[in-house]
Amino acid sequence: QVQLVESGGGLVQAGGTLRLSCAASGRTFSNSNLFLAWFRQAPGKERESVAFINRGGGLTYYADSVKGRFTISRDNAKNTVFLQMNSLRTGETAVYYCAAREQFISDSTWYRAVEYDYWGQGTQVTVSS
């Protein structure tokens, strides 16, 4: 099993910034074996993909709505993945989840929540106007 614990959420004004962290633990392998992603879910809406990063950190994908504003990164030595969120919008209020997968995932399916085996409990991000 892999445990994921998110942190860094909070209340921020529109246009502000937040940096989310997700610490991975469990089993005997390192975080570097995992494909990692961030999703978010607003009240009454489906969970949607935000960003993805491959094992080495050299390949990233983003939802169109966050391109140019959000940056996903990882520190395999610390078993942690980050999501830097700039220029936040009120419509981005949601619970943000970290997700992980051990098997290869392609660029055509990274955005599908069902592809991921492990999930964190989520961290609330509230963007006020």
Side-chain angles (χ1 to χ4, degrees):
Q1 286 291 330
V2 173
Q3 290 80 44
L4 302 172
V5 179
E6 302 96 335
S7 61
L11 174 64
V12 64
Q13 286 190 327
T17 66
L18 278 176
R19 188 189 195 209
L20 305 183
S21 300
C22 172
S25 62
R27 299 195 50 169
T28 57
F29 57 79
S30 71
N31 184 39
S32 62
N33 291 339
L34 302 174
F35 294 90
L36 296 161
W38 286 95
F39 286 75
R40 64 189 179 189
Q41 188 166 19
K45 295 187 177 180
E46 292 187 358
R47 192 167 297 190
E48 64 174 1
S49 60
V50 176
F52 165 90
I53 191 165
N54 72 340
R55 288 169 172 166
L59 183 64
T60 57
Y61 301 124
Y62 295 93
D64 288 343
S65 61
V66 307
K67 284 179 181 177
R69 299 186 297 118
F70 289 13
T71 303
I72 188 170
S73 61
R74 65 191 295 166
D75 184 338
N76 286 341
K78 297 181 178 180
N79 293 338
T80 303
V81 61
F82 305 97
L83 184 68
Q84 177 68 41
M85 304 187 294
N86 299 331
S87 302
L88 281 161
R89 302 167 179 171
T90 54
E92 293 179 314
T93 293
V95 177
Y96 284 68
Y97 297 92
C98 177
R101 175 184 168 97
E102 298 171 66
Q103 302 300 316
F104 176 79
I105 188 167
S106 74
D107 58 354
S108 61
T109 58
W110 73 269
Y111 56 90
R112 297 175 60 193
V114 295
E115 298 291 331
Y116 296 85
D117 304 307
Y118 305 103
W119 292 85
Q121 82 290 347
T123 185
Q124 176 71 46
V125 172
T126 302
V127 185
S128 64
S129 58

